[in-house]
Every structure is written in structure tokens, then in C-alpha cells.
Amino acid sequence: GAGVSQSPSNKVTEKGKDVELRCDPISGHTALYWYRQSLGQGLEFLIYFQGNSAPDKSGLPSDRFSAERTGGSVSTLTIQRTQQEDSAVYLCASSLVVFRTTSDTQYFGPGTRLTVL
Amino acid sequence: SQQGEEDPQALSIQEGENATMNCSYKTSINNLQWYRQNSGRGLVHLILIRSNEREKHSGRLRVTLDTSKKSSSLLITASRAADTASYFCATSSSGSARQLTFGSGTQLTVLP
């Protein structure tokens, strides 16, 4: 079916407000990832969901960041009390993880550009 | 933190020429992937090379991997203006972690 989709495509918010970013992975993909890309930089890993396992939150930069994945499909990344340094493009990816292999390709969504004023 | 360093940071060539980008990384890996990004948005997967492979081809792309030097190169042959984009290498480290660690990218400009 369709690729990974993300909404909104752009979000402008004021410092201190909370924001929610949404990701719809490719149907049937068991793994979902969130990354952040600051201007002119590479991607920074944030969080990883795989099936019903506890998520790997090791990349979250602070406790203001959290993410959920409901029903093993759609995911929401929430940033509370946004700061100007949170401004970045937030990218979601999904993959079909095949256990005992090391070759799962990640498919990326178009990203959400977040601007914190 | 970034796993890899890519060089050059920026590359400008004429259409028809070959473009070579290099990537170095720090830890043991399961595989290394190259992605392309247009206009700072979604990434497109180009090619994956496993740690036990040394070279891989896909169309006009050729990727090499030297695990002893912890480095990889991406060669785009007979470049086209449409190849203009940022190119990132990304590694999947040994162990159970599946998240990718990205390099800082090479901005390629192909002049018509």
C-alpha cells in the first residue's frame, strides 16, 4: 500500500506549548522509528518500537519527549513545553523486521518540520 | 551522537562525471546503508551492504565496504542533474539494536 505518512507536514508553535506529531507506518511493518534532523545535520535516533516489546527510548533527549504506538500501528510523538532548540524535522520510519536477520531496510516518511518560536 | 563522518561535506560536479562519497564509522556493524534526501525531507533508501560483503552494485550505484578500516564509499557513475541531493550513510550496529546511526551527509550538486 502507501508509504509512511506523517502529519502535520509543518507545525509552528510557541515556546512552552505542547505538540503532537503523528506517524502512520507501512501496513504490516512491525518496527517503527522516530528520528530528528536539525538544520544541515544528519539524523538523530529518538525512539524505536518493535511489536509488543517495550520501546527503546535511549535516544530521547529529555523527559519532555515521549511517544506511543497504539495497536501496533500509528505512533504519536509528543513534545511537552517546547523549546526553541526542539525546532527540527522529525522523521518517522518503519521496517518489516525479520528476526535473526540484520538486513531490515527502513522506509521513511516525509517528515514534520517543527518550528518553535 | 553521530556514528559516521562523511566526506566531502559538499561536492559539485558536471553532469556525466562520476561522484564518490566516503563514510567512516566507529563501532562494529551489522550492515551499512546509503540514503538520499531531497530538500531536507524524507529519505529514500538506495542500497544496503552487509558486514560480510565488500562490494555491491545497483544500477549506477556502486558501494564498497572495508570493515578493517571502518569505511565505505558510494560511487554514482554518469551523474545526472536529478542526482542532486544529500547523501547519508547509516549503520546498524552489532547486537540487537536496530536503529540506524547516521553520518552528517554529503551535499551533491550535479551541474547540467
Side-chain angles (χ1 to χ4, degrees), chain A residues 9 33 35 37 42-43 45 48 56 89 91 97-98 101-106 108-111 113, chain B residues 2 30-31 33 35 37 39-43 45 48 50 88 92 96-100 102-104:
Chain A
S9 56
Y33 311 78
Y35 295 87
Q37 185 178 30
L43 275 71
F45 165 74
Y48 159 58
D56 178 350
V89 176
L91 290 150
V97 174
V98 179
T101 70
T102 58
S103 305
D104 43 293
T105 297
Q106 295 185 21
F108 282 81
R113 185 179 299 279
Chain B
Q2 300 291 332
N30 287 326
N31 63 65
Q33 305 179 40
Y35 285 83
Q37 184 180 42
S39 304
R41 299 309 289 259
L43 278 74
H45 180 261
L48 179 151
R50 297 183 180 87
F88 294 90
S92 174
S96 60
R98 289 188 179 265
Q99 64 267 27
L100 296 175
F102 283 80
S104 51

